[in-house]
Amino acid sequence: MQTINIVWFKKDLRLHDHLPLYQAIESGLPTLFLFFFEPSVIALPEHSARHWNFVKESLQEIQKMLLSFHTKVYVFENEVIPVFEKILTIYKINAVYSHQETGQQVTFDRDKNFAKFCKYNGIQWIESQRDGVVRGLKNRNGWSEQWTAMMQEPIKKIELHKLKTIQVEDSFFENYHLLNLDKQVVKHQLQKGGACFAWRYLQGFTEERALSYTKHISKPTESRKSCSRISPYLTWGNISIRQVYQFVLEEKQKLPFSYQFPLKNFESRLHWHCHFIQRFEMDCSMEFQSLHPTLGKVRQEVRPEWVNAWETGTTGIPLIDACMRCVNETGYLNFRMRAMLVSFLTHHLLQPWQAGVAHLARQFLDYEAGIHYCQFQMQAGVMGTSSRFRVYNPTKQALEHDPEAIFIKQWLPELQSLPTYLAIEPWKMTHLEQHLYKFRLGLDYPKPIVEVEDSAREAKQLLFSASKTEIAKNETQRLLDKHVERRK
Ligand SMILES: Cc1cc2nc3c(=O)[nH]c(=O)nc-3n(C[C@H](O)[C@H](O)[C@H](O)COP(=O)(O)OP(=O)(O)OC[C@H]3O[C@@H](n4cnc5c(N)ncnc54)[C@H](O)[C@@H]3O)c2cc1C
């Protein structure tokens, strides 16, 4: 029986800065590349077709690049272990190389089972660290230094021409849903997957867009252009954080003074990216429970009609509705608007964060469990590591960041003919104004489902008093010890 190695592509869909690939090539053994669309993962409520389409585009690009090396990625719509069992009927597998994954319970359980499977079958499973996320940490002391060291490590050159390949007939896998990606093309308006697009976005950012990065970061319209838009490429691994970090550092040296501050800001966000995933890696129960149990209990009752109004952008609060309709359509929203949507759901509507977490995950093209769950809990005020409860007033946000109601009118065409001040606060319209603008509040656009200021005050009060009990204070301390880095 021939001995082979396997590279299992996961959320690392690139052919550069890829340690598992590098190690497999160095091993000198013939190597098979695999990727799985796992039914158990596809079925998660956090995932949607737009994610899988992005992955398919990323894989199509990899297949094209591998053509000249006479190999390909075998892409399955199948659970993992049955395919490995099939491969074992004709090959001896020496090692499986992959990146570590900080995913949801389903992928964690799959990895535990896969580790047992490898042990039983005498296969080495060699997992490499993904970006700056360290496995097995008990606290965060020294983590930032480790992160910087990891980012500065030289990028290993992948020499694909040295790869020893093997050809397996597709017919060998005939009962295992092997996908032919050539036939899968979907037309859409979302960001397209693949390393080429990742680099295009990044270069466009450092060449020009970064100039207004800091100035426009919170503006719902302008940020779509001035932010890097690199997030889905990092989520699916079309580019590594290290590649982005080193590229930006190099570019910074060539760029004039006006770019230095925005790019410094951008760099710190790369650090946040790993910081949040690290938190989830160390406390993955966050997928189901609030990190701070006492604060998590403050809101329990779900009102489905309110959650539905939030999901469909029909709450009667224009900036909230515009943001939701925009993300439902385009898969993207800047940080502040994401935070405001969660704040509205959990504070103004007093819904538990669990009621909305999957909906937004499905919409965000960059859905990354580690960041998403942490951010959701943070904005809902149930993390315990921040003493402040962030409650965003959507009207104030509109006046500050969309003062001409350009974003609001783009996504809520029913408000287009209103003057700006009424498009931002349509509930203030008098009968005379409704007549004048041929607009019927409650028919053409909903009346607000809650009163913004009263509901915010009530939520803050509830959270604040819950946080003052002895049990709550002890929980807060435990979380600070575990998740906050003590600097030397
Ligand atoms: C409720 C909520 C859910 C979120 N869910 C996700 C998610 O699933 N996936 C995701 O990548 N980001 C998430 N974010 C963080 C942030 O909004 C996005 O990373 C950012 O908007 C992506 O746009 P960009 O690439 O243009 O960002 P830029 O501002 O250009 O930043 C560059 C990169 O830094 C990282 N980054 C930026 N801001 C943050 C942040 N606040 N926290 C962590 N990393 C950050 C991202 O990787 C981003 O691509 C969430 C934020 C909130 C409030």
Side-chain angles (χ1 to χ4, degrees):
M1 225 183 223
Q2 191 181 7
T3 302
I4 63 164
N5 279 334
I6 285 179
V7 172
W8 174 6
F9 283 93
K10 291 176 148 194
K11 290 175 79 177
D12 49 4
L13 300 174
R14 62 179 181 273
L15 296 173
H16 295 284
D17 196 25
H18 196 294
L19 193 55
L21 190 54
Y22 175 86
Q23 289 169 329
I25 294 171
E26 288 296 297
S27 77
L29 281 178
T31 299
L32 205 60
F33 296 153
L34 305 180
F35 180 86
F36 298 90
F37 288 100
E38 296 156 85
S40 53
V41 179
I42 292 174
L44 286 171
E46 288 84 351
H47 280 301
S48 60
R50 61 180 58 169
H51 299 150
W52 306 124
N53 196 48
F54 189 93
V55 171
K56 281 177 188 167
E57 287 165 351
S58 309
L59 286 164
Q60 278 166 343
E61 185 192 70
I62 290 181
Q63 302 294 42
K64 259 192 215 152
M65 287 168 154
L66 289 178
L67 259 183
S68 48
F69 300 97
H70 313 290
T71 189
K72 66 175 183 179
V73 182
Y74 290 79
V75 178
F76 294 91
E77 193 167 337
N78 219 102
E79 299 299 342
V80 176
I81 290 180
V83 173
F84 274 88
E85 280 170 339
K86 177 75 178 166
I87 295 170
L88 280 175
T89 62
I90 52 165
Y91 292 111
K92 177 174 168 26
I93 303 174
N94 169 60
V96 176
Y97 296 93
S98 72
H99 275 109
Q100 288 167 351
E101 189 173 347
T102 308
Q104 294 183 231
Q105 188 69 46
V106 166
T107 54
F108 185 38
D109 288 343
R110 173 255 279 146
D111 280 355
K112 284 192 283 190
N113 286 335
F114 187 70
K116 279 189 211 147
F117 171 83
C118 286
K119 199 166 169 199
Y120 181 77
N121 288 288
I123 302 169
Q124 301 176 69
W125 184 16
I126 301 168
E127 288 185 282
S128 303
Q129 181 175 316
R130 183 178 177 226
D131 294 322
V133 181
V134 185
R135 191 146 277 185
L137 285 192
K138 295 273 176 284
N139 61 48
R140 291 295 278 273
N141 299 341
W143 181 82
S144 283
E145 284 87 359
Q146 264 176 286
W147 185 87
T148 310
M150 176 83 181
M151 292 307 122
Q152 290 173 349
E153 259 178 36
I155 290 174
K156 288 206 166 66
K157 203 160 173 253
I158 307 275
E159 297 180 290
L160 277 169
H161 61 274
K162 286 192 186 164
L163 179 74
K164 288 211 179 109
T165 58
I166 21 168
Q167 307 292 337
V168 183
E169 290 300 323
D170 286 0
S171 57
F172 174 69
F173 292 115
E174 69 185 348
N175 296 326
Y176 292 81
H177 298 107
L178 191 63
L179 292 187
N180 180 352
L181 293 176
D182 299 344
K183 294 182 186 147
Q184 315 224 354
V185 185
V186 180
K187 285 213 163 114
H188 59 82
Q189 298 299 319
L190 285 80
Q191 286 176 266
K192 294 195 170 51
C196 276
F197 279 103
W199 282 103
R200 222 191 267 181
Y201 273 95
L202 188 59
Q203 275 161 355
F205 179 65
T206 54
E207 274 163 19
E208 190 194 338
R209 293 185 287 122
L211 252 189
S212 41
Y213 178 64
T214 310
K215 190 170 158 212
H216 290 158
I217 197 162
S218 297
K219 316 256 173 251
T221 303
E222 294 88 334
S223 61
R224 303 182 77 77
K225 195 168 167 217
S226 65
C227 281
S228 70
R229 307 294 303 269
I230 200 76
S231 53
Y233 304 100
L234 291 172
T235 291
W236 300 104
N238 291 161
I239 194 166
S240 70
I241 289 265
R242 178 170 33 213
Q243 286 176 298
V244 178
Y245 177 88
Q246 296 194 2
F247 177 79
V248 169
L249 235 58
E250 263 174 43
E251 291 303 295
K252 239 171 92 181
Q253 287 174 358
K254 299 181 225 155
L255 287 165
F257 181 72
S258 47
Y259 280 83
Q260 303 300 315
F261 181 66
L263 287 178
K264 184 97 202 115
N265 263 340
F266 173 77
E267 265 168 62
S268 63
R269 281 169 175 81
L270 298 178
H271 185 270
W272 293 1
H273 174 105
C274 300
H275 160 80
F276 283 107
I277 303 178
Q278 182 70 51
R279 186 173 283 190
F280 193 66
E281 168 74 29
M282 290 164 70
D283 241 324
C284 61
S285 63
M286 286 177 82
E287 183 183 342
F288 306 103
Q289 297 156 13
S290 300
L291 201 55
H292 195 293
T294 304
L295 294 175
K297 281 185 203 133
V298 169
R299 292 152 292 204
Q300 297 198 2
E301 202 186 318
V302 178
R303 284 188 67 167
E305 72 282 12
W306 278 6
V307 176
N308 181 57
W310 178 77
E311 285 181 358
T312 51
T314 51
T315 64
I317 312 287
L319 189 58
I320 296 291
D321 294 341
C323 282
M324 191 57 93
R325 293 192 209 173
C326 167
V327 75
N328 288 351
E329 180 101 10
T330 67
Y332 181 79
L333 209 52
N334 69 2
F335 170 78
R336 182 173 287 253
M337 297 300 120
R338 294 184 193 206
M340 183 192 66
L341 282 182
V342 177
S343 156
F344 187 76
L345 176 79
T346 57
H347 299 315
H348 296 95
L349 301 184
L350 219 59
Q351 299 298 290
W353 59 267
Q354 290 92 336
V357 73
H359 173 78
L360 277 188
R362 282 194 297 277
Q363 312 312 316
F364 293 155
L365 192 58
D366 59 23
Y367 167 59
E368 172 72 58
I371 303 179
H372 192 69
Y373 275 92
C374 287
Q375 283 290 355
F376 233 89
Q377 293 211 20
M378 193 156 94
Q379 304 309 331
V382 295
M383 287 273 257
T385 48
S386 164
S387 55
R388 213 161 53 88
F389 298 112
R390 301 162 193 221
V391 183
Y392 294 82
N393 178 325
T395 306
K396 201 164 153 263
Q397 294 300 317
L399 292 169
E400 276 176 27
H401 301 298
D402 187 28
E404 306 299 326
I406 290 169
F407 182 77
I408 288 177
K409 289 187 180 183
Q410 180 185 357
W411 291 101
L412 307 179
E414 62 270 43
L415 303 185
Q416 242 159 22
S417 56
L418 300 183
T420 305
Y421 70 101
L422 289 178
I424 292 176
E425 296 178 278
W427 56 87
K428 288 196 170 164
M429 223 179 294
T430 60
H431 286 297
L432 189 63
E433 282 169 325
Q434 291 193 40
H435 186 69
L436 187 66
Y437 298 115
K438 298 187 179 59
F439 184 89
R440 294 155 307 166
L441 187 65
L443 285 173
D444 295 327
Y445 181 69
K447 291 181 182 166
I449 57 175
V450 282
E451 205 288 315
V452 166
E453 283 181 14
D454 291 350
S455 54
R457 200 173 312 114
E458 196 188 325
K460 272 193 210 165
Q461 224 153 26
L462 277 172
L463 283 167
F464 188 72
S465 31
S467 71
K468 292 295 158 205
T469 63
E470 264 326 290
I471 298 181
K473 283 185 192 162
N474 289 338
E475 283 166 9
T476 304
Q477 193 53 51
R478 178 183 61 79
L479 291 168
L480 289 172
D481 290 343
K482 183 166 181 186
H483 289 292
V484 176
E485 191 170 3
R486 307 260 174 252
R487 292 190 187 266
K488 284 182 196 143

